[in-house]
């Protein structure tokens, strides 16, 4: 069946068709970037957006058809080399300018360039593999069954390759040792690290943790600075917003992340507890929380926007000059 | 040699066994679910059969150290001592997860809580849902018992001891394959590797994990080399169980076990393949590893009342397809390879090395197969993780290297076997 398909004209035409479709699919990225506007013809828009998405499918079909098309694969090799080169050049352009550089100028994104390199490698290795399948199979069998060194030199291609690999491994051992040993100059630098007490690990935030531990009663639930997962770039309150760290020091106190007030937990929490404690964080760029004593309002969120009403507020100052509050929130 | 081997094997496996028993008794788990009882019975069986056979077996390898080996040994002792000194001088537990998770759990245990209660300790923390049961309790238990009974010495010292055992187990495990001097050199090379040495200075689970994986891989390798050494099979199984009980998020044990079984059953060794006793033993080991892996999952599912952090949602298939059509899958894999860096290159080089000695071919194939399987597992794992969590880059940057260091002993082992061959060739031709 294989031989029948190999010389079949339909397969040849199909192969060519999918190669053209594949190239069109890559190029349609540029078309989408520059020629499509909201008032373009709907059919045109549909075709282009379909084309952009089918490159993987085309590529897989080409790989399948390659198996039946051994002859004339030289230009396919050139195509794959071209793809690798184009991908490398595009990603280098992105690397040396800015992330979206090639997308801006020719509409081909960084993801696409990496994809091109990957496709190129797969394609060329498949073409090489197809040509050498009998040799490869023999070699694999040798690799798993026989010992490479045991070969008697009958001079076959496979054995020569195997011997070459055997000699080559000596070089590889040396390379391995170099890569293993070179970074070892830095092995002992961690021994001099000063992270031997909590104040060096948590920096200036440790004093707040201590204030909470020593100044707040164990029965009083603690509200700490907000940790909102929707804002991963938030850099304030690195440690004192993270519950596992706080709990290590403050257990068995209940910890409350103010973000859960907005997640529908407000009534449950206010129903269960009436008093809450917290310390006022007073660093240069991160003051928390916002308290308005005149109107009896307090805000625990990231930018002091949503306010709670409170009934009473107690204020203490500990030895380090950190304000400790005990508050009764209105339901 | 035999005394050294028995001492190390028994101490490390007794640590795993006793901690498991203490944990089950402390949590009153034994009769909660039949899987716990089955696990303890299997583990005790393995330990006692292994202990019995290690005395009966006749150990063929001998310790023979020359001057070079002695010098290396002095260097290794200096390295271990520096780690010991650093750890005994620090007053606290360092390392973020060590404070927030491993030591925190032991601290809660000291105040009388069981792990069942600790699992649900934070009802309002939606960001760290199953944080306290996201890792098995092995290191926390070590912290707990150490801080209860030896409070004067900092718990970090145990990590220097793990490093010592890692060194010792590499020497003992490779002694037969490459000779004592080269084995000491290999052990030194592993413990001086920067990232691995730094792991002995923080209280993470990685170092005990590396110890257990290295121990089980080398034991299995020795068993494949000589199938009369059944104790290697039993102790290797116990070490692998220990690794699943230290970190369960990366299933390194699956490639190790699969490649072990594959190599064992594809070898041309009729005599052993058809041996009923050996088949029963193999089945016993296989069963106990699977049982102990799932016993932790059962514990989490039974005792943690919230939803699990790492659940695969229905859109997983969709996001995989999307990542391939948009091309982000390729950039992710490229980024993983980039972050993995030199360590990955080391593993890949050791995959390419070809050994000619027929005797060691089995062992080298086993090591290569498990390396290959684990590299694939790690790349696939981080890729799947990247689909769900935006902070996957943190994982890929630090965790990947730390966690995959457990493959370093296997990789260096291949190189050591090849190096021995080269040295012998040079000696012959000289």
């Amino acid at each position: 069946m294989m031989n029948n398909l190999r010389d079949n004209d339909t397969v040849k035409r199909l192969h060519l068709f999918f190669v053209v479709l594949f190239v069109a699919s890559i190029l349609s990225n540029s078309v989408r970037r520059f020629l499509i506007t909201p008032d373009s013809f709907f059919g045109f828009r549909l075709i282009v957006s379909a084309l952009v998405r089918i490159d993987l499918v085309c590529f897989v079909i080409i790989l399948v058809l390659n198996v039946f098309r051994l002859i004339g694969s030289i230009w396919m090799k050139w195509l794959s080399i071209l793809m690798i080169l184009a991908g490398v050049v595009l990603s280098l352009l992105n690397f040396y300018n800015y992330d979206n550089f090639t997308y801006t100028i020719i509409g081909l994104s960084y993801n696409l360039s990496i994809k091109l390199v990957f496709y190129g490698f797969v394609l060329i290795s498949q073409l090489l593999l197809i040509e050498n399948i009998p040799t490869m199979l023999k070699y694999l069998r040798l690799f798993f069954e026989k010992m490479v060194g045991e070969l008697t030199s009958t001079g076959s291609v496979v054995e020569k390759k195997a011997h070459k690999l055997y000699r080559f491994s000596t070089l590889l051992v040396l390379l391995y040792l170099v890569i293993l040993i070179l970074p070892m100059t830095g092995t002992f630098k961690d021994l001099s690290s000063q992270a031997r007490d909590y104040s060096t690990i948590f920096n200036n935030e440790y004093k707040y943790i201590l204030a909470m531990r020593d100044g707040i009663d164990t029965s009083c639930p603690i509200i700490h600075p907000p940790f909102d997962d929707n804002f991963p770039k938030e850099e304030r309150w690195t440690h004192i917003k993270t519950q596992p760290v706080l709990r290590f020091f403050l257990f068995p106190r209940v910890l409350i992340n103010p973000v859960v007030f907005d997640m529908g937990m407000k009534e449950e929490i206010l129903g269960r507890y009436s008093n809450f404690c917290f310390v006022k964080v007073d660093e240069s760029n991160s003051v928390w929380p916002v308290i308005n004593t005149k109107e009896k309002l307090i805000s625990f969120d990231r930018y002091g926007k949503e306010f709670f009403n409170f009934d009473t507020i107690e204020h203490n100052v500990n030895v380090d000059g950190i304000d400790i509050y005990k508050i009764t929130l209105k339901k | 040699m035999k005394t050294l081997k028995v001492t190390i094997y028994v101490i490390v496996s007794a640590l795993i066994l006793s901690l498991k028993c203490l944990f089950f008794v402390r949590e009153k788990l034994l009769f909660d679910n039949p899987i716990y009882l089955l696990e303890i019975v299997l583990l005790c069986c393995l330990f006692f059969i292994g202990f019995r056979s290690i005395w009966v077996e006749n150990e063929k390898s001998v310790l023979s150290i020359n001057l070079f080996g002695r010098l290396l040994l002095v260097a290794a002792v200096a390295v271990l001592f520096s780690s010991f000194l650093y750890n005994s001088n620090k007053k606290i537990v360092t390392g973020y997860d060590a404070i927030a998770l491993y030591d925190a759990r032991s601290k809660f245990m000291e105040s009388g809580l069981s792990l069942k209660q600790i699992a649900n300790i934070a009802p309002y923390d939606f960001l760290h849902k199953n944080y306290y049961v996201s890792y098995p309790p092995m290191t926390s238990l070590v912290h707990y018992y150490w801080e209860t009974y030896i409070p004067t010495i900092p718990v970090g010292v145990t990590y220097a001891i793990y490093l010592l055992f890692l060194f010792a187990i590499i020497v003992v495990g490779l002694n037969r394959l490459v000779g004592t001097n080269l084995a000491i050199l290999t052990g030194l090379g592993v413990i001086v590797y920067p990232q691995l040495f730094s792991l002995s200075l923080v209280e993470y689970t990685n170092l005990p994990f590396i110890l257990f994986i290295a121990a089980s891989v080398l034991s299995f390798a020795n068993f494949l080399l000589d199938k009369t050494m059944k104790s290697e099979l039993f102790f290797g199984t116990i070490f692998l169980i220990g690794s699943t009980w230290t970190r369960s998020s990366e299933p390194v044990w699956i490639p190790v076990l699969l490649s072990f079984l594959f190599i064992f059953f594809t070898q041309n060794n009729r005599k052993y393949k058809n041996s009923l006793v050996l088949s029963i033993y193999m089945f016993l080991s296989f069963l106990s590893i699977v049982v102990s892996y799932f016993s932790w999952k059962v514990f989490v599912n039974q005792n943690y009342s919230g939803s699990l952090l790492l659940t695969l949602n229905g859109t997983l298939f969709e996001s995989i397809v999307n990542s391939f059509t948009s091309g982000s899958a390729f950039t992710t894999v490229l980024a993983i390879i980039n972050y993995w860096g030199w360590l990955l290159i080391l593993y890949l080089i050791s995959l390419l090395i070809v050994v000619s000695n027929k005797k060691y071919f089995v062992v080298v194939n086993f090591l290569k197969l498990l390396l290959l399987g684990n590299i694939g597992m790690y790349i696939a794992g981080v890729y799947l993780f990247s689909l769900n969590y935006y902070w996957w880059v943190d994982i890929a940057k630090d965790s990947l290297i730390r966690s995959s260091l457990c493959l370093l002993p296997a990789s260096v082992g291949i190189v050591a076997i090849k190096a021995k061959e080269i040295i012998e060739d040079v000696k012959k031709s000289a």
Side-chain angles (χ1 to χ4, degrees), chain A residues 52-53 55-56 109-112 114-115 118-119 139 142-150 165-166 168-170 172-173 175-177 179-180 183-184 186-188 190-193 195-198 201-202 227-229 232 239 242-245 247-249 251 254-257 260 263 265 268-269 272-273, chain B residues 79 82-83 86 89-96 99-100 103-104 107-108 111 113 121-122 124-128 131-132 189 191-194 197-198 201 262 324-328 330-331 334 342 345-347 349-350 352-358 361 365 368-369 390 408 411-412 415 418-419 421-422 425:
Chain A
V52 166
R53 281 171 178 77
D55 57 334
L56 184 67
S109 64
Y110 174 64
N111 279 344
L112 192 80
I114 299 296
K115 213 173 174 180
F118 179 78
Y119 284 164
Y139 182 68
L142 261 176
F143 204 82
F144 273 104
E145 280 179 6
K146 277 192 170 179
M147 306 328 117
V148 177
E150 265 195 336
L165 202 64
Y166 173 59
F168 187 55
S169 359
T170 312
L172 282 179
V173 168
L175 185 67
Y176 188 98
L177 290 180
I179 296 175
L180 185 73
M184 283 180 185
T187 298
F188 301 107
D190 278 5
L191 282 177
S192 60
S193 92
R196 295 192 195 193
D197 50 55
Y198 294 125
I201 296 173
F202 300 119
F227 190 163
D228 196 338
D229 209 25
H239 307 294
T242 316
Q243 284 204 3
V245 170
R247 195 171 292 109
F248 176 78
F249 297 99
F251 182 78
V254 173
L255 303 174
I256 294 165
N257 182 358
V260 303
M263 292 167 67
M265 297 295 290
E268 192 194 318
I269 293 173
R272 191 176 291 176
Y273 308 105
Chain B
V79 171
S82 68
S83 167
Y86 179 91
N89 271 336
K90 63 181 186 189
K91 301 276 181 295
I92 56 151
V93 169
T94 51
Y96 186 88
I99 295 171
D103 206 47
K107 208 176 154 189
F108 303 154
S111 69
L113 294 186
I121 208 170
Y124 300 128
D125 194 355
F126 299 108
L127 293 171
H128 310 90
Y131 189 65
Y132 290 107
I191 62 168
V192 181
Y193 195 74
F197 181 75
S198 331
L201 309 181
F262 179 79
F324 272 96
T325 52
S326 76
S328 67
F330 305 107
T331 38
L334 195 75
W342 291 109
I345 292 174
L346 282 184
Y347 296 158
I349 291 177
S350 59
L352 290 177
I353 287 172
V354 176
V355 177
S356 65
N357 195 331
K358 193 177 178 179
F361 209 66
N365 269 354
K368 277 185 186 173
L369 210 57
Y390 64 84
L408 190 67
S411 158
V412 181
V415 177
K418 181 70 198 172
E421 229 177 69
I422 295 170
D425 276 2

Side-chain angles (χ1 to χ4, degrees), chain B residues 83-155:
Chain B
S83 167
F84 177 81
L85 215 61
Y86 179 91
N87 277 310
S88 56
N89 271 336
K90 63 181 186 189
K91 301 276 181 295
I92 56 151
V93 169
T94 51
Y96 186 88
D97 273 349
I99 295 171
L101 179 58
Y102 313 129
D103 206 47
R105 283 194 303 202
S106 83
K107 208 176 154 189
F108 303 154
M109 283 178 192
E110 275 164 44
S111 69
L113 294 186
S114 66
L115 198 65
K116 286 178 189 172
Q117 291 162 316
I118 295 171
N120 301 309
I121 208 170
Y124 300 128
D125 194 355
F126 299 108
L127 293 171
H128 310 90
K129 281 178 187 164
N130 58 347
Y131 189 65
Y132 290 107
V133 283
S134 58
Y135 283 90
M138 189 264 171
T139 43
S140 292
L141 287 169
V142 171
H143 283 217
Y144 167 64
Y145 287 112
W146 187 275
E147 280 162 5
T148 316
Y149 295 110
I150 324 175
T152 47
I153 304 171
V155 73

Side-chain angles (χ1 to χ4, degrees), chain A residues 60-80:
Chain A
V60 172
I61 293 173
I62 292 171
L63 286 185
V64 174
L65 291 178
N66 269 343
V67 179
F68 306 111
R69 285 254 317 145
L70 288 182
I71 307 149
S73 63
I74 295 164
W75 63 272
M76 286 296 286
K77 270 186 203 164
W78 280 111
L79 182 71
S80 56

Side-chain angles (χ1 to χ4, degrees), chain A residues 290-306:
Chain A
V290 182
I291 307 172
N292 184 341
T293 28
K294 205 183 275 175
E295 294 174 33
K296 293 200 165 181
L297 290 172
I298 185 162
S299 168
F300 295 113
D301 59 33
R302 289 171 70 240
Y303 288 112
K305 280 182 182 159
E306 281 181 42

Side-chain angles (χ1 to χ4, degrees), chain A residues 215-239:
Chain A
I216 295 178
D217 192 47
T218 47
S219 61
C220 185
I222 295 176
I223 300 179
H224 58 81
F227 190 163
D228 196 338
D229 209 25
N230 295 324
F231 299 96
K233 296 261 164 94
E234 172 74 86
E235 279 169 0
R236 296 174 290 173
W237 322 301
T238 326
H239 307 294

Side-chain angles (χ1 to χ4, degrees), chain A residues 1-9 11 64-65 67-69:
Chain A
M1 200 192 97
M2 284 276 281
N3 283 330
N4 286 345
L5 277 171
R6 241 172 229 172
D7 304 325
N8 196 329
D9 273 351
V11 175
V64 174
L65 291 178
V67 179
F68 306 111
R69 285 254 317 145

